[in-house]
């Protein structure tokens, strides 16, 4: 059966960042959505969301699931397990984007449409961090194995949900106006004009462990930076079999999720302020905003760690866009297979 067949879709977390991005991508797709139910918390009762040129009501109570073809789960993890149980009871296929079940071996972790089976009642969508790192590591290693990957993720305020973005905005405005600081947001402390050491990467580490296996030594650190959107990382990858920089670049370029950005002006078309001055470098976090691929640049060999076996790169992405595009591709495979 193809996805052009009429589809009844339910999205939990429709008013959140991931839910909104998913609706926008669904709206742009060629899916024949005959019913879209958008669910959020009681706080969103009486609000609407836009789809197919119409304003649709947000549902604040758990809707009946029987008869739906697919449920997308985009709430916080804390709400997710009960909804998963309801989907299983109603025998409706569920795609979980929250990571609530991504550590359970019985639940397929869908890195690729090839991981999807026709009968899977529940599929877990990897976090954007795991999707991006998995793609980059595999492309750098080629046919060989990754030995070790070490890096630092820079996460924006959006990693803490819409409330994180609102907190950064309100704090920034208060600082500019020299007015009293608002109460801290979900970070539990001020975030504006500051960098917080540490970021919640437990989910990404576990999901990468599942995809790469125990043979790969993985060390992922993080920091929260005061940008509104995006995620970036500096990554050092060590591989078993010696390879050269040109081959690594070619494999990165050939990967469907990766856009290699040459040194020089970023995608926003920045130019040097004065002739003879160095060009701005990318890919920056803003360069990647709204882009569907993972932007990779600053690729270099790290000879100090081994000739042809260690490479450093920088990646930048729009995690909301990356995860929404991926979830739709997996949903497409799941519905087509059934
Ligand atoms: N942010 C990212 O970059 C990112 C990327 C990939 C995956 N994720 C994961 O995706 C999930 C959503 O992230 P987000 O950034 O979109 O968070 P968010 O902006 O805080 O959105 C949370 C959504 O959940 C809804 N919700 C809360 N309680 C609910 C309930 N009982 N029933 C139904 N809906 C309920 C909220 O509704 P109200 O508006 O009514 O509160 C809102 O729509 C999280 O699990 C996150 O870990 C996030």
């Amino acid at each position: 059966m193809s996805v052009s067949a009429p589809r009844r879709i339910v999205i939990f977390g429709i008013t959140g960042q991931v839910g909104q991005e998913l609706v926008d991508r669904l709206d742009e797709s060629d899916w024949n959505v005959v019913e879209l139910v958008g669910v959020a918390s009681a706080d969103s009762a009486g609000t609407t969301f836009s789809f197919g040129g119409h304003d649709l009501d947000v549902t604040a109570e758990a809707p009946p699931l029987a008869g739906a073809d697919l449920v997308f789960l985009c709430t916080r993890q804390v709400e997710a397990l009960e909804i998963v149980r309801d989907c299983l009871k109603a025998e409706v296929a569920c795609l979980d984007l929250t990571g609530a079940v991504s550590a359970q071996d019985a639940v397929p972790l869908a890195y690729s449409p090839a991981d999807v089976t026709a009968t899977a009642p529940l599929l877990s969508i990897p976090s954007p961090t795991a999707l991006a790192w998995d793609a980059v590591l595999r492309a750098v290693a080629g046919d060989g194995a990754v030995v070790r990957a070490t890096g630092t993720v820079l996460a924006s305020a959006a990693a803490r949900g819409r409330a994180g973005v609102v907190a950064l905005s309100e704090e920034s405005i208060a600082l500019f106006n020299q007015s009293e600081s608002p109460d801290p947001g979900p970070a539990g402390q001020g975030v504006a004009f500051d960098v917080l050491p540490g970021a919640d990467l437990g989910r990404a580490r576990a999901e990468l462990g599942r995809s790469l296996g125990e043979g790969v030594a993985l060390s992922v650190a993080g920091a929260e930076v005061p940008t509104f959107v995006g995620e970036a990382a500096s990554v050092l990858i060590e591989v078993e079999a010696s390879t050269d920089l040109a081959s690594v670049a070619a494999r990165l370029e050939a990967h469907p999720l990766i856009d290699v950005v040459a040194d020089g002006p970023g995608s926003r078309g920045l130019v040097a302020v004065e002739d003879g001055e160095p060009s701005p470098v990318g890919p920056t976090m803003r360069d990647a905003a709204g882009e569907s691929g993972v932007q990779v640049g600053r690729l270099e060999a790290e000879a100090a760690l081994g000739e042809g076996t260690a490479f450093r790169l920088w990646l930048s992405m729009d995690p909301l866009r990356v995860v929404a595009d991926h979830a739709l591709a997996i949903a497409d495979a799941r519905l087509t297979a059934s």
Side-chain angles (χ1 to χ4, degrees):
M1 203 177 283
S2 103
V3 285
S4 61
R7 292 298 176 193
R8 293 179 164 75
I9 306 293
V10 182
I11 300 180
F12 284 85
I14 194 86
T15 53
Q17 302 178 106
V18 175
Q20 293 267 316
E21 186 73 29
L22 201 53
V23 172
D24 290 348
R25 301 282 78 78
L26 202 54
D27 217 356
E28 283 174 11
S29 77
D30 57 3
W31 286 37
N32 180 12
V33 180
V34 290
E35 186 179 54
L36 177 58
V37 178
V39 193
S41 79
D43 294 347
S44 297
T47 64
T48 59
F49 65 98
S50 175
F51 182 73
H54 301 284
D55 287 335
L56 305 179
D57 291 334
V58 170
T59 304
E61 282 173 18
L65 298 177
D69 295 298
L70 191 74
V71 167
F72 289 99
L73 189 37
C74 312
T75 62
R76 295 170 307 165
Q77 278 195 11
V78 68
E79 288 97 22
L81 283 179
E82 196 181 330
I83 301 168
V84 165
R85 276 193 288 271
D86 290 344
C87 291
L88 293 173
K89 221 182 288 171
E91 297 185 1
V92 176
C94 176
L95 256 61
D96 175 39
L97 285 77
T98 73
V101 291
S102 68
Q104 294 184 19
D105 287 339
V107 180
L109 187 55
Y111 275 94
S112 133
D115 298 329
V116 176
T117 60
T119 51
L122 174 63
L123 290 160
S124 182
I125 302 294
S127 63
T129 311
L131 280 171
W133 281 53
D134 181 74
V136 164
L137 265 51
R138 287 178 191 282
V140 169
D143 292 334
V146 177
V147 174
R148 191 190 323 271
T150 317
T152 303
V153 169
L154 304 180
S156 71
R160 289 191 183 270
R162 209 186 40 212
V165 174
V166 170
L168 175 59
S169 170
E170 289 178 349
E171 285 172 28
S172 304
I173 291 168
L175 279 166
F176 275 126
N177 292 341
Q178 296 186 341
S179 55
E180 198 182 327
S181 264
D183 289 339
Q189 65 186 95
V191 292
F193 298 95
D194 209 349
V195 171
L196 310 190
D200 185 6
L201 292 162
R203 175 184 172 190
R205 285 190 197 104
E207 291 174 352
L208 281 167
R210 266 188 84 178
S211 77
L212 299 169
E214 286 176 2
V216 180
L218 198 62
S219 172
V220 189
E224 291 185 42
V225 296
T227 58
F228 288 99
V229 291
E231 180 177 312
S234 172
V235 192
L236 176 66
I237 301 155
E238 294 170 66
V239 295
E240 198 170 45
S242 181
T243 182
D244 60 82
L245 198 60
S247 305
V248 171
R251 286 197 294 272
L252 286 164
E253 264 161 26
H255 195 289
L257 185 63
I258 296 170
D259 294 325
V260 175
V261 178
D263 285 356
S267 60
R268 285 179 296 143
L270 297 175
V271 292
V273 176
E274 294 195 24
D275 286 348
E277 292 296 314
S279 288
V281 293
T284 68
M285 278 161 95
R286 275 184 65 192
D287 288 339
E291 300 290 325
S292 54
V294 175
Q295 299 195 343
V296 169
R298 322 293 290 165
L299 176 63
E300 56 191 351
E302 184 57 89
L305 291 177
E307 203 62 52
T309 57
F311 301 90
R312 189 187 301 282
L313 55 79
W314 168 260
L315 69 83
S316 179
M317 66 172 154
D318 181 335
L320 300 172
R321 178 71 196 249
V322 165
V323 82
D325 282 347
H326 185 71
L328 277 192
I330 296 298
D332 189 284
R334 175 64 181 79
L335 293 176
T336 306
S338 53

